[in-house]
Amino acid sequence: MNRLILALDVYEKERALRIARETKEFLWGIKVNWPLIIGAGLRIITELKQVTGLPIIADLKLADIPNTHRLIAKKVFEVGADYLITHGFVGKDSVKAVMELGETIIVVEMSHPGAKEFIQPVTDRLIELANELEPFGVIAPATRPERVRCIRKKLHKSIKILSPGVGAQGGKVGEVLKAGADYIIVGRSIYNAENPGDAAKNIWGEINANAKG
Ligand code: XMP
């Protein structure tokens, strides 16, 4: 099973499409965040799907009222996104508004140091929310494999863990897979590499060497 997700955080449409073409054979999917949407427009999601045929995750980290979530999710799924990432701390009603329109991924913890201030103290409650709503997956930090392990223990088995923070932020593929992550999200270590295809292939190889299934 392929477990690598490319975080395609560049601004330029042509660069994004080129990197996507060069790396696609080593990817499970592509994650599109605000930088690319701001730089290339929402339709980049449609184009990336056409060029690669891969699942596209829209990482908008929504944090708003249910009606606004609905308005945003409608357009994002319409252009072809397969998954949409929302924050969970905004509450069940806001998360459900996204889930009613398409496959959803909930942020339960973040990978940067500041995540310890506000998100980490409520991670257990966010896991409870995920267990109740059963989204496709949750986001958990590759920079703290011990937290991924703890989240995996509490999370329903059917819910996937997608883990950003490998490479530029210091997370290690082997450690985070061992801790229970299902998918590894990598951005800068691939798109900033001299040869993104080779960089993706190397990480893909490392994932395969460490993954159980
Ligand atoms: P890098 O360049 O650090 O990119 O490999 C990582 C990508 O993942 C996003 N990211 C996160 N998203 N929770 C999230 O929901 C997190 O803890 C987290 N850490 C990184 C980041 O925006 C970039 O697209």
Side-chain angles (χ1 to χ4, degrees), residues 3 140 145 147-153 155 157 159-163 173-184 212:
R3 295 159 179 266
R147 296 295 300 159
V148 174
R149 184 168 290 109
C150 173
I151 291 165
R152 182 70 278 171
K153 274 193 191 131
L155 195 67
K157 284 202 163 49
I159 303 173
K160 307 288 186 201
I161 294 183
L162 297 85
S163 203
V173 167
E175 288 176 15
V176 71
L177 284 176
K178 213 168 142 203
D182 297 286
Y183 298 95
I184 305 289
K212 285 192 197 110

Side-chain angles (χ1 to χ4, degrees), residues 7 9 31 33 59 61 85 107 109-112 139 141 164-166 168-169 185-189 191:
D9 297 331
K31 186 173 81 63
N33 200 334
D59 181 6
K61 289 193 191 69
I85 299 181
V107 179
E109 196 163 319
M110 296 186 77
S111 55
H112 62 311
I139 300 283
V166 161
Q169 293 184 71
I185 300 173
V186 182
R188 283 164 285 181
S189 300
Y191 66 74

Side-chain angles (χ1 to χ4, degrees), residues 121-159:
V122 295
T123 294
D124 278 357
R125 293 191 59 195
L126 294 170
I127 294 168
E128 281 169 27
L129 176 79
N131 282 341
E132 184 185 338
L133 297 180
E134 299 207 39
F136 169 78
V138 301
I139 300 283
T143 46
R144 295 190 206 97
E146 74 285 359
R147 296 295 300 159
V148 174
R149 184 168 290 109
C150 173
I151 291 165
R152 182 70 278 171
K153 274 193 191 131
K154 294 174 180 171
L155 195 67
H156 283 176
K157 284 202 163 49
S158 61
I159 303 173

